[in-house]
Amino acid sequence: MLEAGLTQEELAEAVNFRLRADGYAGTVSDRTVRNWLAGKTVWPHARQRQALEAVFGCAVEELGFTPPAGRCGTAPSLKQEEPVRRRHFLTATTGATAAAVPLVAAARPSSVGTSDVIRLREGLESLTLWTTPGAGTRAWSARHCPVPARR
């Protein structure tokens, strides 16, 4: 930074200018630069790394940053990622969903009967009973849980 003749504020503005040129919000402040210089931030975010490399014309490792353990070198830049082919993705997922809907519709009953309502009500009553204060204690279990018959 000193070799480039930049102050902390000027470096922050240069990085933000590069981020904005790439279509991102420039959120680097002089405080961020101080954290970089003090070593509090050992590996900046990917977009910040790209902007730093563009500003200084060298890899961030040459600037003194070290990748986290388990990573070798810089992470792939955001520009190197393969673009999302939204139209292809939407066409494929819509087709798969359309094919699955008839299978799901055939598997469930076409109407709800009285027995379904009674079964649901019994389940809700049981659930409500278990959510009352003291549920699960021995005294509560003795009152509300049926004891299985011994053979």
Side-chain angles (χ1 to χ4, degrees):
M1 186 175 87
L2 294 175
E3 295 84 17
L6 297 173
T7 66
Q8 293 175 357
E9 291 176 354
E10 290 170 338
L11 177 57
E13 187 52 41
V15 171
N16 285 332
F17 179 78
R18 182 61 191 193
L19 287 169
R20 286 190 293 273
D22 290 340
Y24 303 110
T27 59
V28 176
S29 66
D30 58 334
R31 181 179 182 177
T32 305
V33 174
R34 278 194 300 278
N35 287 338
W36 292 342
L37 294 174
K40 290 182 181 177
T41 303
V42 295
W43 193 244
H45 296 287
R47 293 176 183 154
Q48 293 174 349
R49 289 192 310 268
Q50 288 176 341
L52 283 167
E53 289 175 350
V55 168
F56 287 104
C58 62
V60 291
E61 289 89 350
E62 294 177 34
L63 297 173
F65 294 107
T66 55
R71 290 189 187 173
C72 298
T74 60
S77 69
L78 297 176
K79 291 183 180 179
Q80 294 174 347
E81 291 180 4
E82 191 170 319
V84 176
R85 292 182 176 83
R86 288 179 178 84
R87 184 170 294 172
H88 176 71
F89 174 76
L90 290 174
T91 303
T93 55
T94 303
T97 304
V101 167
L103 298 174
V104 172
R108 63 178 178 202
S110 58
S111 63
V112 177
T114 307
S115 63
D116 298 321
V117 174
I118 292 170
R119 193 169 55 244
L120 177 63
R121 184 177 292 158
E122 289 171 352
L124 288 174
E125 288 172 1
S126 173
L127 180 63
T128 304
L129 191 63
W130 278 98
T131 58
T132 58
T137 62
R138 286 185 187 203
W140 183 89
S141 296
R143 265 184 275 133
H144 298 289
C145 295
V147 177
R150 292 190 175 202
R151 293 182 192 195

